[in-house]
Amino acid sequence: MSNPFSRTSVHPNPRASGALSVLFAGHSQTEPEHRMGPQKLDHILIHTIAEGKGWFKCRDVHYDLEPGDSFVILPGEMHAYQSDKAQPWRYRWIAFRGPEAERWLAAAGIDASHPIVRGGGEEALRAIRAVNGAFAKKGWTADWEAEGWLRLAFAAWARANRPGGPAAGAERRSAAAVEADRAARWLQAQQSSPSVTIAQMAAELGYHRTHLTKLFKRETGMTPVAYLQQLRIERARSLLAEPLSVEEVALSVGYTDPLYFSKSFKKLTGYTPSAYRRLGRGGE
């Protein structure tokens, strides 16, 4: 049955192939008891309900839905859905396909046996509306815009569906291990900065320096300072295989003093940077 209150925006410049392809997006104020299916699709189609009620059926399971809920139609799955007689729903939808999309669905805990997401509707509706806008502009960047907004919608669905994260139900890392890992990644991001300090790291991560240092050493076996130095020297070992001066290598890994860099490098490797390069060990 056609719906006169339905609008669909089709991708103006779709890629021929890719890990993710957003196909179209739309919105509809349905009539009472407006029904779709039974039918099968060859793409993923997600509806998020803004107002009203209705039901969705997949694999002979009936789901009653209300505002804020989303229902996911997967390729090859027979399904049907219908709006309520007294309170017909208004919803937005987005269609996409690709191996990246399949990975997102798995991470969010969505499959044919679990096709309903309860919550996250407000953010998802806003994101899908933005996809409509991107397609309507018909710009050459529509692909990137659509994918970005779809990612935000998926983030909302994933948070609602798995508030504990994808590891829910499995053995989780301790809070200390999680924070030590976050600190390690912060140091990795800052390793080329000569002005980085552990005090700065602690402040940005929301910890007292002494507490974070103890936590980090307990979880990794080394202090943050030692870890940062190790990161820098390992990066320097690789850069010494390139046509850079020792001073340029030092600056690239956060050392403004080439002499101090040489001493630090020798302390960890047993060689000065120049000797390490002469031995042909750069890039190991």
Side-chain angles (χ1 to χ4, degrees):
M1 180 190 299
S2 64
N3 181 357
F5 305 105
S6 177
R7 296 290 183 273
T8 300
S9 299
V10 179
H11 198 317
N13 300 300
R15 287 176 292 183
S17 62
L20 178 72
S21 179
V22 181
L23 305 174
F24 56 85
H27 60 94
S28 178
Q29 171 58 68
T30 64
E31 296 179 331
E33 298 185 303
H34 174 262
R35 182 184 177 113
M36 295 293 291
Q39 61 183 4
K40 290 185 180 182
L41 301 179
D42 64 355
H43 53 267
I44 301 163
L45 180 62
I46 302 183
H47 291 69
T48 296
I49 303 162
E51 296 178 356
K53 298 179 180 181
W55 58 259
F56 174 69
K57 187 175 182 180
C58 180
R59 295 192 174 183
D60 295 324
V61 180
H62 178 101
Y63 304 91
D64 290 316
L65 304 172
E66 56 186 33
D69 293 340
S70 298
F71 58 96
V72 182
I73 301 169
L74 297 175
E77 292 290 339
M78 187 66 72
H79 65 277
Y81 52 99
Q82 179 174 305
S83 66
D84 187 70
K85 182 177 181 178
Q87 301 179 59
W89 51 21
R90 178 172 64 84
Y91 49 36
R92 288 187 175 271
W93 65 82
I94 187 166
F96 51 99
R97 61 160 62 100
E100 184 74 1
E102 295 171 9
R103 185 177 66 83
W104 292 1
L105 289 168
I110 298 171
D111 56 36
S113 298
H114 305 86
I116 306 302
V117 178
R118 308 282 186 182
E122 184 176 342
E123 293 176 74
L125 288 166
R126 184 165 54 248
I128 299 172
R129 183 169 58 247
V131 173
N132 278 117
F135 286 174
K137 289 186 294 184
K138 301 180 181 179
W140 68 273
T141 61
D143 213 45
W144 294 330
E145 293 180 61
E147 182 174 331
W149 286 112
L150 178 58
R151 286 179 181 272
L152 291 175
F154 243 98
W157 289 320
R159 283 194 299 270
N161 209 38
R162 282 188 162 176
E171 183 178 352
R172 299 185 187 180
R173 294 183 299 165
S174 67
V178 170
E179 290 308 311
D181 180 66
R182 190 160 71 105
R185 285 184 281 108
W186 190 94
L187 291 170
Q188 291 163 15
Q190 299 291 336
Q191 62 180 291
S192 62
S193 172
S195 60
V196 63
T197 66
I198 305 306
Q200 177 190 358
M201 178 184 72
E204 291 193 14
L205 297 182
Y207 287 94
H208 187 278
R209 173 178 175 169
T210 301
H211 172 76
L212 184 57
T213 297
K214 290 180 178 179
L215 179 152
F216 191 90
K217 186 174 182 180
R218 184 171 66 248
E219 295 297 324
T220 68
M222 64 180 73
T223 65
V225 171
Y227 182 79
L228 178 59
Q229 186 177 49
Q230 178 175 285
L231 286 174
R232 287 171 165 172
I233 298 307
E234 286 302 313
R235 174 63 176 152
R237 283 160 57 105
S238 177
L239 291 175
L240 286 168
E242 301 182 17
L244 300 172
S245 69
V246 170
E247 182 177 3
E248 288 172 333
V249 171
L251 290 171
S252 296
V253 296
Y255 288 90
T256 56
D257 183 347
L259 180 60
Y260 180 61
F261 164 66
S262 294
K263 290 180 178 179
S264 298
F265 190 91
K266 185 175 182 179
K267 181 179 179 181
L268 290 185
T269 68
Y271 301 93
T272 65
S274 297
Y276 190 85
R277 170 174 277 165
R278 284 196 301 270
L279 291 169
R281 301 177 68 88
E284 286 188 355

